[in-house]
Amino acid sequence: MSIGTWAESGRRVRRGLRLDAGLIAFVFVALVTLLVELALVERKFAIFGGGFGQPRTIGDPLEIAAFAAGLLVAHLLFLYALFRVARRVHGAKDGALFLFNALFLIPAVLIGILAAKYQLLTYFSDAIGFQIIRNLGGGSLVDAFLYILSEAGLLALGLAAAALLYFIFWKLVRHHAPRDVRAAFPPALGWKGGLAAALAIPPLLLAVNAAGDARYALARFNAYALLSGALHQLTDFDRDGYSLFSWRIDDHPLDGSRHPLALDIPDNGIDEDGLAGDFTLAGVPEPRPVPALSGKGRHVILVVLESVRGDAVGKRIDGRLVAPNLTHLAQSGTWVPHAYSHVGFTTYSLKTLFTGALDPVDGGPSLFRDFDAAGYRIGVFSGQSEAFGDIAATVGMRRHSDVFVDAETLKEERAFGFAAPASLLVDGRVLLREFDRHFGSTEAWNRPNFLYLNFQAAHFPYHHPGMPQLLDGEPIPRGSISADNRQWVARTYWNAVAYADRLVGDLIARLKGLGVYDDSLVVIVAAHGESPFVGRFLGHGHMINRQQTQVPLILSQPDVAIAQPVGLDDLRGLV
């Protein structure tokens, strides 16, 4: 054989052994994104190493095998779908540009999503989910994400820098990369391959889900959560929110009344929630009647302090009272130390506070309808948007108010520039100015008044422009809020509580100056508490603990006999 023949044979062998560049890119992206997500999940949830407060870890070989199978199948399938979309967009001939975008955009987007997700978890804990995000948005995902976007200034700068970098390299690839790059991968599955995957993957994931710890760990991974979420929707046959693929598996997929966390109807012989058999009712106290208001009553001033915890009463920092006005009012009036919100979201809490119903309906009884029917003049001065989460509509607030001032009507005076309903906040001094305008004369008190004031000072991020610094130190910048700075965060929060307390003192001084305080019932309460990184959690609404559920409840009238504990649903009847 001649030397030329040998050379040609070698070239053919090398061409045959040459790997498809698209396959190499796929393997590279899969490894990088998988390793990054594994590292983040392990750091956050310790699914292998365990740790304090971590009851679920993957240890035995069966769990490891189930975890690895579920993770690889979901991750590779998800990446395959992304590569197929990218391949179709670029066409068969543009291999170089396809490779560039696959190697640049796909990892960048996936890692960017991970970064955003874990930044969110540093604020809200691993308990965050779509339902909690929706609740934070007053029942609207749109409002919730608009609120989140108000945190995104640095993210926008990062995205702009990434876009510029991408554009520069895209131009270079477009004009200088060779056109004959072999990048045919990934091939189309075809209907046979698609059918085989559709038939094989659900049973595999069902088997993986049988390993509880593996299922718990896999739920932390985006691709698996996306795939199992789709299967969950397909197998939630009775539409009760649980399925064969939900975190808590539905053992009765065709019975909508029986599922995990279902309401167990007592003494019916059916175990609806699957826990400890059928619930046996030992007796229920009669509901407390709510008497009707009639005749000339006292003035009622209801003050809601957003995100103020029950332990604000008597709280001392550096030897000084954080809330001296609340503490004095608790000593001279009636203090209910065991008062609780049933839910950590303002919208639901306020609806219950005004109506006395845990699940109020539009048009039902409420304090606004009560006082309007009794001939009271009604005034609303709220530092938040009362349209947020349909609060005003549900309780008849706007319809039955003679004076209505909230963060929507005062939008031009909002503390922050962002105008999403969930982000609106108006300083309490502006509300007191509006109080003076409408109720600042003795003539305004010739008939009984019902006033509702909502001070937002203690809401996250615990400081807004113009808030005075009443405790020593400086407020923490919004970008520095993290678990590592928990003491600084807590001090900023308590300064906000101190400011809310000062606003209460200013209001009481106005009532006394008008000569109407002694003929008024002043009620101080909060919609929920707050965790400024107490127990590693920040915020409210996602943990059942004392910090997030216990609220201050103080009445200016002394010696009111109140059976404790008290919930927000008791307030209407109490007033």
Side-chain angles (χ1 to χ4, degrees):
M1 183 180 292
S2 68
I3 294 176
T5 304
W6 274 106
E8 179 61 27
S9 298
R11 283 193 291 270
R12 282 198 296 266
V13 170
R14 286 195 298 275
R15 282 197 298 269
L17 293 175
R18 187 176 60 185
L19 288 174
D20 185 288
L23 177 60
I24 296 173
F26 180 83
V27 173
F28 174 77
V29 171
L31 283 174
V32 169
T33 54
L34 189 58
L35 289 174
V36 169
E37 191 166 16
L38 269 169
L40 287 172
V41 171
E42 176 62 20
R43 184 174 185 274
K44 174 68 179 176
F45 302 106
I47 58 174
F48 292 105
F52 179 76
Q54 173 54 282
R56 296 183 178 275
T57 55
I58 303 172
D60 73 50
L62 183 62
E63 287 179 343
I64 293 174
F67 170 79
L71 180 60
L72 285 174
V73 167
H75 195 77
L76 294 179
L77 186 63
F78 180 59
L79 274 183
Y80 170 82
L82 291 180
F83 267 71
R84 279 298 300 166
V85 171
R87 178 73 277 177
R88 290 293 296 270
V89 168
H90 289 84
K93 296 181 179 180
D94 209 349
L97 193 59
F98 161 70
L99 284 176
F100 168 69
N101 283 328
L103 288 169
F104 188 99
L105 284 182
I106 293 178
V109 169
L110 294 182
I111 293 173
I113 290 172
L114 285 172
K117 172 183 174 180
Y118 283 90
Q119 179 64 22
L120 184 67
L121 291 179
T122 65
Y123 282 114
F124 294 114
S125 87
D126 62 306
I128 197 71
F130 270 113
Q131 186 57 46
I132 289 176
I133 292 173
R134 184 191 300 275
N135 290 339
L136 288 170
S140 166
L141 275 176
V142 173
D143 285 345
F145 283 114
L146 285 175
Y147 176 74
I148 292 170
L149 284 177
S150 69
E151 301 284 306
L154 291 176
L155 177 62
L157 290 175
L159 289 175
L164 178 61
L165 188 65
Y166 169 79
F167 178 75
I168 293 171
F169 280 101
W170 178 82
K171 295 286 285 186
L172 292 173
V173 171
R174 193 74 177 165
H175 294 289
H176 301 290
R179 292 288 177 265
D180 60 346
V181 176
R182 183 184 176 201
F185 187 89
L189 283 177
W191 72 267
K192 290 182 179 180
L195 180 62
L199 292 175
I201 290 173
L204 174 64
L205 263 61
L206 199 59
V208 167
N209 272 0
D213 288 345
R215 184 171 77 249
Y216 168 84
L218 286 167
R220 310 302 180 190
F221 290 83
N222 293 340
Y224 184 88
L226 190 65
L227 182 56
S228 64
L231 291 171
H232 159 66
Q233 293 298 328
L234 290 172
T235 59
D236 184 13
F237 305 114
D238 50 18
R239 314 315 296 172
D240 59 8
Y242 297 88
S243 72
L244 301 175
F245 293 93
S246 55
W247 159 232
R248 293 180 176 88
I249 295 175
D250 191 352
D251 293 326
H252 303 277
L254 301 178
D255 186 348
S257 66
R258 302 180 70 181
H259 56 79
L261 305 183
L263 180 65
D264 199 338
I265 300 172
D267 301 320
N268 67 345
I270 301 174
D271 182 13
E272 282 89 354
D273 59 2
L275 294 173
D278 184 32
F279 179 62
T280 301
L281 189 63
V284 178
E286 290 294 322
R288 282 169 260 187
V290 177
L293 292 165
S294 61
K296 176 173 169 50
R298 302 170 67 189
H299 306 295
V300 177
I301 295 89
L302 173 62
V303 181
V304 173
L305 303 178
E306 171 65 29
S307 302
V308 171
R309 285 164 36 175
D311 59 349
V313 178
K315 173 79 174 180
R316 289 183 180 271
I317 291 181
D318 299 334
R320 59 161 289 183
L321 282 171
V322 172
N325 294 297
L326 296 187
T327 304
H328 174 73
L329 196 62
Q331 294 168 346
S332 61
T334 299
W335 173 40
V336 183
H338 298 291
Y340 299 91
S341 171
H342 63 295
V343 63
F345 300 107
T346 299
T347 51
Y348 299 105
S349 296
L350 289 184
K351 290 176 186 178
T352 292
L353 186 154
F354 291 126
T355 65
L358 293 177
D359 189 18
V361 296
D362 290 0
S366 76
L367 286 174
F368 292 96
R369 296 182 177 101
D370 295 334
F371 283 111
D372 189 25
Y376 275 66
R377 185 182 183 214
I378 297 175
V380 171
F381 303 93
S382 176
Q384 69 172 14
S385 167
E386 293 296 335
F388 177 54
D390 295 326
I391 300 169
T394 301
V395 304
M397 184 186 298
R398 189 153 199 164
R399 179 180 177 184
H400 294 276
S401 295
D402 300 281
V403 176
F404 185 89
V405 175
D406 76 341
E408 285 280 0
T409 62
L410 297 172
K411 187 176 286 188
E412 297 307 313
E413 298 191 67
R414 60 188 183 272
F416 302 112
F418 207 66
S423 300
L424 289 176
L425 184 151
V426 170
D427 192 296
R429 285 173 294 198
V430 176
L431 303 182
L432 291 178
R433 181 201 70 197
E434 293 299 306
F435 169 90
D436 292 338
R437 179 181 164 202
H438 295 281
F439 290 88
S441 65
T442 54
E443 293 78 13
W445 298 83
N446 290 333
R447 58 185 281 200
N449 290 320
F450 169 57
L451 304 185
Y452 158 53
L453 293 98
N454 184 310
F455 294 132
Q456 290 279 306
H459 195 281
F460 180 86
Y462 315 133
H463 184 80
H464 60 259
M467 181 185 291
Q469 192 66 26
L470 302 177
L471 301 179
D472 291 340
E474 296 295 322
I476 187 168
R478 196 163 187 160
S480 299
I481 294 177
S482 68
D484 294 336
N485 292 325
R486 59 173 55 87
Q487 292 183 346
W488 194 4
V489 174
R491 197 172 187 89
T492 302
Y493 167 74
W494 286 115
N495 182 77
V497 173
Y499 179 50
D501 177 80
R502 173 177 286 187
L503 294 171
V504 171
D506 291 344
L507 174 64
I508 290 175
R510 282 166 164 79
L511 296 174
K512 290 181 176 179
L514 291 165
V516 299
Y517 180 78
D518 292 335
D519 195 29
S520 300
L521 172 66
V522 178
V523 181
I524 311 292
V525 71
H528 51 73
E530 187 77 2
S531 290
F533 286 115
V534 176
R536 297 179 57 217
F537 298 106
L538 174 68
H540 52 264
H542 53 280
M543 284 297 294
I544 300 175
N545 58 24
R546 186 174 296 274
Q547 290 80 22
Q548 293 186 37
T549 58
Q550 187 180 16
V551 296
L553 176 55
I554 306 169
L555 291 80
S556 60
Q557 179 173 321
D559 303 321
V560 179
I562 300 176
Q564 298 188 53
V566 170
L568 291 184
D569 58 323
D570 295 311
L571 191 69
R572 174 174 168 255
L574 180 62
V575 170

